[in-house]
Amino acid sequence: GENVEQHPSTLSVQEGDSAVIKCTYSDSASNYFPWYKQELGKGPQLIIDIRSNVGEKKDQRIAVTLNKTAKHFSLHITETQPEDSAVYFCAPTQHVDEKLTFGTGTRLTIIP
Amino acid sequence: DVKVTQSSRYLVKRTGEKVFLECVQDMDHENMFWYRQDPGLGLRLIYFSYDVKMKEKGDIPEGYSVSREKKERFSLILESASTNQTSMYLCASSPPGQGIGKNIQYFGAGTRLSVL
């Protein structure tokens, strides 16, 4: 099965600065790479995803980059705001596999 | 909007009790999942179901069972609760991913279970 590592486990950044979270996976057959955000008291929610035929995808202040050769992908958040404080999970998978294997999570704290 | 509803936000049970956690989704999704979430361990899959009356073991099924009698409802059962089952339990649902090249799961808000 997929072995997923996520770093760092905690991250504190000053409001307005950028944050980067990295996810490393083991299964070279993985072709779908999502990031989920879990706010306090809520379940995780998909915020951005990328497929293996694309190297980068951006949606306003968040972006995901993929390095298939090295088997890792990263979440980038620019101009961070207090509402970005949350736990973030990666979940690399094959899109035909209905299951997801989640990373251990990164707790991001934005310091006002 | 997809809505996944878990019946309880907080539950306190005693060791040895039989515990039912209920989950209902309103989007006619085929797939449903139960995870537990523990600090430092992320989300770990307990059981999932592809269809009514179908179930598959996830990564940590020991001590749990599930039931899916109706498409919209997926229940997690702790036959005899133990203190090491104290955790946050999350339910999720998803449509089949093959046709759209994606695998998106929609989560409930979670049930925090304490076993004393």
Side-chain angles (χ1 to χ4, degrees):
Chain A
E2 182 78 273
N3 184 30
V4 181
E5 292 188 2
Q6 197 174 324
H7 295 283
S9 57
T10 61
L11 179 61
S12 296
V13 301
Q14 209 71 37
E15 182 177 353
D17 288 350
S18 296
V20 181
I21 304 169
K22 184 177 179 179
C23 182
T24 304
Y25 60 96
S26 61
D27 188 352
S28 56
S30 292
N31 55 12
Y32 174 63
F33 306 94
W35 284 96
Y36 283 74
K37 175 184 181 182
Q38 184 179 25
E39 297 177 348
L40 195 62
K42 298 183 179 180
Q45 183 175 12
L46 177 72
I47 55 169
I48 195 166
D49 56 10
I50 196 170
R51 293 170 65 179
S52 58
N53 57 347
V54 177
E56 183 174 353
K57 181 178 178 182
K58 191 172 181 180
D59 182 3
Q60 298 182 10
R61 295 187 298 106
I62 61 172
V64 54
T65 58
L66 172 64
N67 185 328
K68 278 217 78 177
T69 304
K71 290 191 277 189
H72 65 74
F73 63 111
S74 297
L75 176 69
H76 304 255
I77 307 174
T78 59
E79 301 172 23
T80 53
Q81 300 171 5
E83 55 264 36
D84 296 327
S85 292
V87 180
Y88 293 82
F89 295 97
C90 62
T93 190
Q94 296 184 56
H95 70 79
V96 294
D97 187 350
E98 307 296 350
K99 296 183 293 178
L100 290 175
T101 299
F102 287 88
T104 51
T106 297
R107 182 173 296 279
L108 174 64
T109 302
I110 307 302
I111 305 165
Chain B
D1 276 354
V2 176
K3 190 155 188 183
V4 179
T5 304
Q6 295 185 230
S7 54
S8 304
R9 292 301 303 271
Y10 301 94
L11 272 180
V12 180
K13 297 293 181 180
R14 296 239 176 246
T15 303
E17 278 193 78
K18 190 170 185 176
V19 181
F20 294 86
L21 303 184
E22 305 288 347
C23 176
V24 177
Q25 51 97 0
D26 66 356
M27 281 301 292
D28 202 37
H29 286 165
E30 282 77 4
N31 304 320
M32 295 189 75
F33 307 84
W34 275 107
Y35 296 89
R36 64 177 283 175
Q37 181 176 13
D38 301 288
L41 298 178
L43 302 174
R44 293 182 292 165
L45 183 63
I46 304 171
Y47 268 97
F48 60 103
S49 169
Y50 291 143
D51 203 347
V52 175
K53 296 192 184 295
M54 294 182 66
K55 59 184 179 182
E56 298 283 343
K57 292 180 180 179
D59 299 318
I60 51 164
E62 295 79 18
Y64 304 94
S65 62
V66 291
S67 172
R68 193 163 181 204
E69 296 297 318
K70 294 185 178 181
K71 191 174 186 180
E72 68 271 18
R73 186 180 297 270
F74 193 34
S75 302
L76 180 69
I77 304 157
L78 287 64
E79 294 288 343
S80 177
S82 64
T83 54
N84 63 11
Q85 293 179 310
T86 292
S87 187
M88 170 69 83
Y89 290 88
L90 290 163
C91 174
S93 73
S94 72
Q98 297 186 34
I100 59 172
K102 290 196 173 193
N103 184 343
I104 303 173
Q105 294 191 7
Y106 299 87
F107 284 83
T111 296
R112 185 165 294 282
L113 173 67
S114 296
V115 183
L116 307 178

